[in-house]
Amino acid sequence: TPGTSTLASPSVSYNFAGTYTAKLIAIRGQITDTLTFEIVVNDPPQAEITYSGILSICEGQSIQLNASLGDLFQWKLNGTNIQGETNQTITVSQNGNYSVLITSECGTSLSSSVYVDIIPAPAVPVITGNFSPTPNSNEIYSVPSQSGYTYTWTVNGGSINLGQGTNSISVLWGNTGQGTISMEWDNPNGCSSSTTNDVSIQLPTAQWVVLTISESFVTAKSGAQRIGSYGIRSAVKISS
């Protein structure tokens, strides 16, 4: 509108996008000149946000949001401009409502907001057990049982012979050396955390040795094992 005008430079507005035909008729005295041309009216930008996957992500993860086409972009979090975020895409790892203001030669448009939900990760598990086992020994390791959790154990320097997938496992350790035991658990939301403990596989050290000497025999003990008895006549007691 307007449909016609007698002004030399009229201003015309179009309510809908499309291709329009305009005709200019210039009359001077007995001379008439006509010029016909097309005017293309584009839609204003329609700001939209797209993404891959789901908007609920685990703590420590991120998701990329993509804006529809435009010339200029300004991303917002909870209605406030995010400083420096003026590209067509944004990678976010904070929960809240995200929207984008898009500007083109045909105007501006503010998108609807999308809510990004950050799910807290489970606490780091604490493994209990013997981290200084003897060679070729079986040891039990465990973490607290959690409802709905899944458990994945990894052992270096030994092998799991019972309990994989549960909160408690039995490990057969190998020869002397260094090893590790790791556990990752996932909560019902699919978020995970993990821990690793170093293991030192070593021969046992003697804790004590007692020699008991009586008039008739000597008994030598190392730990809880009797070594032997030897007959003598004097009596002496040695502890170390």
Side-chain angles (χ1 to χ4, degrees):
T1 58
T4 60
S5 175
T6 58
L7 298 175
S9 300
S11 178
V12 180
S13 62
Y14 295 87
N15 296 323
F16 303 99
T19 301
Y20 297 86
T21 300
K23 181 183 291 186
L24 171 63
I25 302 175
I27 303 173
R28 184 177 181 181
Q30 301 297 318
I31 301 173
T32 301
D33 194 8
T34 301
L35 175 64
T36 301
F37 53 93
E38 290 184 343
I39 298 176
V40 178
V41 178
N42 295 315
D43 283 313
Q46 299 295 316
E48 294 180 346
I49 297 175
T50 58
Y51 51 89
S52 297
I54 59 176
L55 291 172
S56 295
I57 59 176
C58 297
E59 182 180 359
Q61 297 179 340
S62 61
I63 185 172
Q64 180 175 289
L65 306 179
N66 310 293
S68 51
L69 294 176
D71 297 322
L72 301 174
F73 307 89
Q74 177 60 64
W75 289 93
K76 300 174 180 288
L77 173 58
N78 298 325
T80 301
N81 289 350
I82 305 174
Q83 186 176 1
E85 294 295 347
T86 55
N87 294 322
Q88 190 173 357
T89 63
I90 184 175
T91 300
V92 301
S93 57
Q94 179 181 347
N95 66 326
N97 289 292
Y98 289 85
S99 58
V100 61
L101 180 68
I102 299 179
T103 301
S104 74
E105 61 182 4
C106 295
T108 61
S109 177
L110 179 64
S111 73
S112 299
S113 62
V114 296
Y115 182 75
V116 175
D117 184 24
I118 308 298
I119 304 172
V124 175
V126 177
I127 301 174
T128 57
N130 181 14
F131 302 108
S132 298
T134 57
N136 305 309
S137 64
N138 280 290
E139 300 286 349
I140 302 298
Y141 299 89
S142 65
V143 294
S145 179
Q146 303 288 345
S147 177
Y149 278 43
T150 59
Y151 308 86
T152 303
W153 295 85
T154 304
V155 170
N156 292 314
S159 60
I160 300 172
N161 52 32
L162 187 67
Q164 179 66 281
T166 72
N167 72 304
S168 179
I169 60 170
S170 174
V171 176
L172 174 61
W173 292 107
N175 295 324
T176 57
Q178 299 301 309
T180 59
I181 180 168
S182 304
M183 206 287 298
E184 177 182 294
W185 59 12
D186 296 74
N187 64 20
N189 294 315
C191 299
S192 64
S193 62
S194 63
T195 189
T196 298
N197 288 75
D198 293 326
V199 176
S200 179
I201 309 166
Q202 54 191 346
L203 292 171
T205 57
Q207 297 180 347
W208 51 267
V209 174
V210 175
L211 295 178
T212 302
I213 304 175
S214 67
E215 290 184 356
S216 58
F217 61 87
V218 176
T219 301
K221 295 182 180 180
S222 176
Q225 182 180 3
R226 177 169 173 165
I227 298 175
S229 298
Y230 311 90
I232 62 169
R233 291 186 178 181
S234 58
V236 181
K237 184 176 180 181
I238 302 174
S239 298
S240 60

